[in-house]
Amino acid sequence: MKLLAIETATEACSVALYLDGEVREVFRLAPREHARLVLGMADGLLAEAAVNPAQLDAVAFGRGPGAFTGVRIATSVVQGIAFATELPVVPVSTLAALAQGGCREFGWQRIATAIDARMDEVYWGAYACVDGLVQTQQEERVCPAGEVPLLEGEGWHGVGSGWNAYEDELKGRLDSAVIDSCGDCLPHAQDVARLAVAAFDRGEAVSAEKALPIYLRDQVVHRPAAK
Amino acid sequence: MLILGIETSCDETGVALYDGERGLLGHTLYSQVAMHAEYGGVVPELASRDHVQKLLPLISEVLAQAGVTRAEIDGVAYTAGPGLIGALLVGASVGRSLAWAWGVPAIGVHHMEGHLLAPMLEENPPVFPFVALLVSGGHTMLVKVEGVGRYEILGESLDDAAGEAFDKTAKMLGLGYPGGPVLARLAESGDPEAYRFPRPMTDRPGLDFSFSGLKTFTLTTWQQSTQTEQDKANVARAFQDAVVDTLAIKCKRALEKTGLKRLVIAGGVSANKGLRERLSKMGGELGAEVYYPRPEFCTDNGAMIAYAGHLRLQAGQHEELAFTATPRWPLETLPAI
Ligand SMILES: Nc1ncnc2c1ncn2[C@@H]1O[C@H](COP(=O)(O)OP(=O)(O)OP(=O)(O)O)[C@@H](O)[C@H]1O
Ligand SMILES: [Mg+2]
């Protein structure tokens, strides 16, 4: 199995190549530089592994939620690659990838993800890490930081920029359910890749034109008041 | 070279295939106008969201239309600016990535260069050098064109673009959004003798334009009229005649100043019938040839991007893997080929 994964929904830009169980990743903190970086990163990874795009089995991407423009860059780049090569695409939740990072890096079992969505809101999700892969516990949503759904039980860890931006609101709301958090943690393409391989095996790949963003925030404009 | 062209700079998704030997092989366009009409103007975030959904199906459609397979494509051209950053990035990301995966060169095209070269897709195309009048939603410019990328701006609008003036005036007259073409249709039934509006900046030398005062003048005239349907048509006619006449006066000056005998009109407003007639007449008087794109290539389209991209790719220019979108991008800074 050879899979290329792209994640650009936050300030981080990363690309990973999954090669039969081994994952290589390039990762850079580069706000607003994603378009300039992403294809060069992909090209470098493939060249190093002596693989060309047509030899891949699938392409994966962080389909959001996150910064709208960033989410669209990953989506559009993956659409282009998959359309050109007629490869299947695996969309992966950016929140799930973020949680997967917490599971991989710290071994955390119960992970509450919050990405700063501005306007006092967070993109929110809750996951359990089972056999090294995260599973969804609460459906992802966008909501005010002080109104996130309560977490069941104890021993949760927070991951994502929302935990920096709205630490007081989140901790106030969730009280003792959360032990610790990593507000500087960002989603990684290598975690998109790991989740994508599992999703691909479950038959969750789609065609290029169905590779679309999930923004969660759909109210982006206020209709002019009726005259 | 067979080039795939992609246009996503604003509120239309355009795709086309242009071949150096066989010409234009296919093109298609999806307009988001109806979606934005509800808000009285383009909502950038909605525009970007729509491009992501529409682009690949349109590419498939054009390939099928032209009977071309993916493997035959030799290069990809996409609009890299000027325009809405989020919208541009969709076309640039898809376009640059397609080219990378196919192992073919890609080029980011300047949207206004696309407009400017669009008349070359017609039979009996203009040859260099010529004077170009670019009149669109965001631009009004007179350009001396000596070749691809050899542009000298002779004059431009100091405020509203001509298309913008049409749209804003139409909105004031209650003609909806985007009202330019609606206003133009209404003007046809207006009495040309009913009013005479000023021709801004024609009483002094120079090739710059200003249309924002005309808009206010139109509103005042309308408010002081009895506001019948015929009054509205008369006001529309007077507005259009003033814009058309102003553009024609400046085009004539530009031809005289440069000594050139060819005039190219492009951009959305070049679809205006009154403008086409007026400039053809002026050209006849000066012994100058006047060239326009077919109406569907006056406004945004993928064909002009495929064509401009073809010229540059053919000349060996191409984009690195690090792609960008440039919302503001002066036309004069383009490299010559
Ligand atoms: N028949 C017509 N008469 C007058 N104006 C017209 C006519 N048809 C289209 N337009 C105007 O053309 C403009 C659209 O042209 P175009 O698509 O080239 O502009 P744009 O892409 O929005 O701007 P730009 O190319 O400067 O970025 C609109 O302002 C519209 O009102
Ligand atoms: Mg245009």
Side-chain angles (χ1 to χ4, degrees):
Chain A
M1 172 83 180
K2 296 182 182 60
L3 177 143
L4 183 73
I6 293 176
E7 169 55 62
T8 62
T10 65
E11 307 90 281
C13 178
S14 64
V15 180
L17 180 61
Y18 177 96
L19 286 175
D20 308 314
E22 183 207 346
V23 192
R24 302 178 189 177
E25 180 191 71
V26 268
F27 178 96
R28 267 182 69 180
L29 198 61
R32 303 186 151 270
E33 290 290 308
H34 300 18
R36 254 185 268 273
L37 293 173
V38 65
L39 282 179
M41 288 176 160
D43 194 64
L45 278 174
L46 290 194
E48 202 180 296
V51 171
N52 66 52
Q55 291 170 322
L56 294 165
D57 296 299
V59 218
F61 71 112
R63 50 70 164 157
F68 298 160
T69 299
V71 170
R72 272 193 295 271
I73 289 174
T75 307
S76 304
V77 165
V78 159
Q79 282 188 355
I81 298 171
F83 185 88
T85 50
E86 301 186 57
L87 286 172
V89 183
V90 190
V92 171
S93 160
T94 295
L95 289 168
L98 192 53
Q100 182 64 31
C103 169
R104 166 178 56 81
E105 208 174 324
F106 308 116
W108 290 342
Q109 299 296 306
R110 304 174 113 186
I111 299 164
T113 54
I115 293 177
D116 183 1
R118 312 268 175 90
M119 309 195 289
D120 297 326
E121 294 195 323
V122 290
Y123 297 119
W124 175 264
Y127 301 84
C129 190
V130 181
D131 300 330
L133 283 179
V134 294
Q135 294 176 359
T136 307
Q137 300 297 298
Q138 284 181 0
E139 208 178 315
E140 55 187 24
R141 72 193 68 202
V142 60
C143 65
E147 294 172 23
V148 298
L150 294 175
L151 294 166
E152 252 176 66
E154 302 199 320
W156 289 86
H157 287 86
V159 182
S161 58
W163 289 92
N164 276 347
Y166 307 110
E167 190 181 0
D168 294 346
E169 289 89 335
L170 290 173
K171 292 203 167 141
R173 167 94 176 140
L174 300 167
D175 202 23
S176 59
V178 180
I179 306 167
D180 196 5
S181 65
C182 171
D184 293 330
C185 285
L186 292 160
H188 278 254
Q190 58 171 301
D191 297 311
V192 171
R194 289 192 181 89
L195 290 170
V197 169
F200 184 85
D201 290 340
R202 291 193 301 269
E204 291 171 17
V206 298
S207 62
E209 26 324 340
K210 298 221 169 69
L212 294 169
I214 298 290
Y215 303 103
L216 292 185
R217 179 176 283 153
D218 290 319
Q219 183 69 38
V220 292
V221 59
H222 294 281
R223 283 182 167 69
K227 285 183 212 116
Chain B
M1 276 182 111
L2 175 59
I3 307 302
L4 174 70
I6 297 172
E7 156 63 37
T8 64
S9 71
C10 189
D11 59 347
E12 351 242 21
T13 319
V15 177
L17 280 165
Y18 180 86
D19 182 84
E21 269 141 39
R22 294 172 288 168
L24 190 65
L25 299 184
H27 65 95
T28 187
L29 184 87
Y30 175 81
S31 173
Q32 307 173 355
V33 157
M35 175 176 79
H36 298 293
E38 198 179 331
Y39 307 99
V42 176
V43 181
E45 177 59 22
L46 294 184
S48 307
R49 289 186 178 199
D50 206 55
H51 288 304
V52 180
Q53 301 215 20
K54 300 290 172 13
L55 187 49
L56 289 189
L58 291 172
I59 295 174
S60 299
E61 184 189 321
V62 168
L63 290 173
Q65 197 187 96
V68 161
T69 64
R70 298 168 206 219
E72 293 172 62
I73 293 171
D74 300 309
V76 181
Y78 52 85
T79 305
L84 302 170
I85 178 82
L88 288 166
L89 274 171
V90 173
S93 302
V94 170
R96 190 65 196 85
S97 305
L98 281 169
W100 174 68
W102 276 325
V104 301
I107 186 96
V109 171
H110 191 291
H111 180 79
M112 298 314 294
E113 176 169 86
H115 276 305
L116 193 151
L117 298 174
M120 298 202 160
L121 287 162
E122 304 307 325
E123 273 176 45
N124 181 28
V127 292
F128 300 118
F130 53 76
V131 169
L133 172 70
L134 293 178
V135 269
S136 59
H139 296 83
T140 303
M141 286 195 236
L142 273 164
V143 191
K144 183 177 171 193
V145 181
E146 310 231 36
V148 177
R150 296 171 63 199
Y151 308 129
E152 182 192 337
I153 311 289
L154 302 170
E156 58 195 322
S157 180
L158 306 177
D159 42 56
D160 291 353
E164 190 182 359
F166 264 90
D167 293 336
K168 287 181 174 171
T169 303
K171 201 169 180 174
M172 289 180 338
L173 294 176
L175 300 175
Y177 166 87
V182 183
L183 192 154
R185 258 195 314 281
L186 182 63
E188 286 177 26
S189 58
D191 173 5
E193 308 297 331
Y195 302 103
R196 187 184 158 83
F197 288 4
R199 276 49 176 159
M201 297 184 72
T202 53
D203 56 352
R204 68 197 92 160
L207 295 168
D208 286 337
F209 305 90
S210 165
F211 291 113
S212 77
L214 195 53
K215 185 180 66 195
T216 322
F217 193 91
T218 309
L219 181 64
T220 316
T221 309
W222 166 242
Q223 284 169 341
Q224 288 169 359
S225 74
T226 52
Q227 304 202 356
T228 62
E229 281 308 300
Q230 188 58 46
D231 287 331
K232 199 184 268 190
N234 293 347
V235 168
R237 177 59 182 256
F239 167 82
Q240 173 169 302
D241 284 352
V243 174
V244 164
D245 206 34
T246 304
L247 293 172
I249 291 167
K250 302 277 168 149
C251 285
K252 180 161 182 260
R253 274 187 203 168
L255 289 172
E256 286 167 352
K257 183 180 167 183
T258 56
L260 295 173
K261 292 286 179 202
R262 280 180 293 272
L263 178 66
V264 160
I265 328 286
V269 183
S270 68
N272 187 280
K273 257 168 60 187
L275 180 65
R276 288 178 176 234
E277 282 162 17
R278 178 76 170 76
L279 291 176
S280 295
K281 185 159 156 263
M282 188 268 293
E285 286 160 13
L286 286 182
E289 211 55 57
V290 183
Y291 303 85
Y292 323 87
R294 71 193 79 166
E296 64 180 324
F297 293 165
C298 288
T299 43
D300 292 352
N301 63 86
M304 67 186 195
I305 302 305
Y307 180 73
H310 175 264
L311 293 179
R312 290 192 172 275
L313 286 165
Q314 182 91 334
Q317 297 182 1
H318 60 88
E319 226 66 50
E320 300 303 318
L321 286 180
F323 60 92
T324 48
T326 312
R328 283 160 212 270
W329 187 4
L331 186 65
E332 323 78 280
T333 60
L334 292 182
I337 65 169

